[in-house]
Amino acid sequence: MSNEIEIGRGKRGRRAYSFDDVAVVPSRRTRDPEEVSVGWQIDAYHFDLPVMAAPMDSVMSPVTAVALGKLGGLGVLDLEGLWTRYDDPEPLLAEIARLDAPRSTARMQELYAAPIRAELITARLQEIRAAGVTVAGALSPQRTQEFSQTVVDAGVDLFVIRGTTVSAEHVSSRAEPLNLKRFIYELDVPVIVGGASTYTAALHLMRTGAAGVLVGFGGGAAHTTRVSLGIHAPMATSVADVAAARKDYLDESGGRYVHVIADGGVGRSGDLVKAVACGADAVMLGAALARATEAPGRGWHWGSEAHHPTLPRGERVEVGTAGSLEEILFGPGRQADGTLNLIGALRRALATTGYSDVKEFQRVEVVVSPYQPH
């Protein structure tokens, strides 16, 4: 049965769903929440939590990347952010938090116009490595060729190439595009790449040799891509489509498993649960971690799209402060809004539906249940 609907006589569209539109269904079995596993492994690296922090200045600093690593997750540092442009970005982060709304975008454009410094990339990554946690850094596709060697030489464990959308077939007549397949083949470290939001785009990225694919397109709390470009990919459908590509690529490649990481729309604990239920191996959290008392954004959240020099497709948004990083991940929760104890909620969801680990939970029954918040 087709899920296409007629928009008009000359156009049909496929119905797609966000996390708010779906719900997980309990099964005949339940478990003790303390006896389920929420661990995750990608390549040679094991994590106690299926959580990556989004490489955004409002979320990750070298200090918070280390803190998240010690709690069992993976912090990813934005290697094009303020930490690699300024020796001491703390006063600038404080300034951004104090800006009034009409001035915020223009001022951020000024601050992020400073050049990226290779020596600061090295220093920040080495600071994380010295703490003994897994080291991950992110570059956009446009900057990857320029700074990739610096990143590798600094001792990164996982290399993240992250953009609003990343394709394996970028076309440009002005500059030679990044050849992802050749780049990943020649690199000595695992690469996570994205975003992708369709089956076909994800399958092509998997064929480049990527260890993981980020799923999402402009769906985060600080994005305005839908209103600026008219482009949007509802996350439940996107994750399920990319999970299908993972399965088909597993057969095509003779057993090579590529991890699916939901990146966008995972603001609260229920979203995390539904991302895994739709097929994600892990999630990349932005706004959820920007609410931590330790977060560099001081209760504000923004990404690189918010300070694009010619076409901003995001904005600085106030997310507030919910609790410490540890409380956001492990609780205890003091309100029933899904902002605290994200991992406890995931454990409870696995236990309530009778599944023992994250991989098994991807098989849970899901129903379409459009939700209208009060």
Side-chain angles (χ1 to χ4, degrees):
M1 188 175 82
S2 173
N3 65 345
E4 284 194 347
I5 60 174
E6 185 177 288
I7 297 168
R9 291 194 177 188
K11 180 68 70 172
R12 296 182 67 83
R14 186 164 69 107
R15 188 183 297 275
Y17 301 97
S18 70
F19 292 138
D20 279 344
D21 296 322
V22 301
V24 173
V25 179
S27 67
R28 64 181 175 84
R29 180 184 292 115
T30 56
R31 293 181 184 274
D32 187 325
E34 297 304 315
E35 295 179 4
V36 302
S37 170
V38 294
W40 173 55
Q41 179 157 336
I42 181 167
D43 203 82
Y45 302 98
H46 176 82
F47 303 95
D48 293 336
L49 315 177
V51 168
M52 297 174 66
M56 304 166 86
D57 278 344
S58 57
V59 179
M60 282 288 102
S61 66
V63 171
T64 52
V66 170
L68 181 60
K70 289 184 175 180
L71 289 170
L74 175 64
V76 185
L77 191 66
D78 179 8
L79 301 180
E80 299 176 35
L82 297 176
W83 291 95
T84 59
R85 297 174 191 260
Y86 297 93
D87 291 311
D88 181 13
E90 287 290 358
L92 305 179
L93 291 162
E95 179 187 349
I96 291 173
R98 293 192 303 266
L99 288 171
D100 58 0
R103 174 70 175 139
S104 61
T105 298
R107 179 56 178 151
M108 284 194 290
Q109 288 174 325
E110 294 170 357
L111 294 176
Y112 283 90
I116 299 166
R117 294 158 53 187
E119 70 273 15
L120 285 178
I121 292 178
T122 300
R124 305 310 185 196
L125 292 176
Q126 288 182 346
E127 181 181 343
I128 299 170
R129 174 162 293 285
V133 300
T134 304
V135 184
L139 290 171
S140 66
Q142 295 82 3
R143 300 278 192 175
T144 293
Q145 295 187 93
E146 180 180 0
F147 292 112
S148 61
Q149 196 57 53
T150 300
V151 174
V152 173
D153 290 346
V156 76
D157 295 313
L158 290 163
F159 195 121
V160 179
I161 302 175
R162 183 178 187 256
T164 304
T165 186
V166 177
S167 77
E169 300 179 15
H170 180 66
V171 178
S172 174
S173 59
R174 296 183 300 164
E176 182 181 355
L178 173 67
N179 184 322
L180 269 176
K181 188 169 187 177
R182 184 176 66 196
F183 175 81
I184 292 173
Y185 177 78
E186 294 174 353
L187 210 61
D188 291 331
V189 298
V191 175
I192 298 170
V193 62
S197 58
T198 66
Y199 171 94
T200 302
L203 187 60
H204 280 277
L205 288 179
M206 291 172 185
R207 289 169 176 163
T208 67
V213 172
L214 299 170
V215 183
F217 186 100
H223 286 75
T224 60
T225 311
R226 183 168 186 167
V227 296
S228 348
L229 299 184
I231 304 175
H232 177 61
M235 282 296 290
T237 296
S238 293
V239 171
D241 283 348
V242 176
R246 174 187 60 202
K247 179 178 182 297
D248 289 348
Y249 180 70
L250 186 71
D251 294 337
E252 174 189 304
S253 63
R256 185 172 182 272
Y257 189 91
V258 179
H259 294 264
V260 173
I261 302 152
D263 178 14
V266 189
R268 298 177 188 270
S269 56
D271 301 320
L272 190 163
V273 169
K274 289 185 274 190
V276 176
C278 288
D281 297 291
V283 297
M284 178 169 272
L285 300 180
L289 299 183
R291 298 188 186 103
T293 52
E294 305 96 322
R298 296 160 170 80
W300 292 85
H301 181 47
W302 67 90
S304 59
E305 297 83 5
H307 51 76
H308 190 280
T310 58
L311 183 61
R313 302 177 306 282
E315 57 190 352
R316 184 199 60 157
V317 296
E318 188 171 12
V319 295
T321 300
S324 69
L325 186 60
E326 186 168 2
E327 288 172 329
I328 285 172
L329 292 172
F330 302 115
R334 293 182 296 274
Q335 55 266 352
D337 61 359
T339 59
L340 296 175
N341 202 4
L342 273 64
I343 301 304
L346 179 61
R347 285 186 176 277
R348 177 70 63 177
L350 265 67
T352 300
T353 53
Y355 291 90
S356 61
D357 58 40
V358 168
K359 181 57 63 181
E360 277 193 359
F361 188 62
Q362 293 171 351
R363 302 199 302 265
V364 71
E365 183 182 353
V366 173
V367 294
V368 176
S369 176
Y371 170 66
Q372 298 296 329
H374 297 296

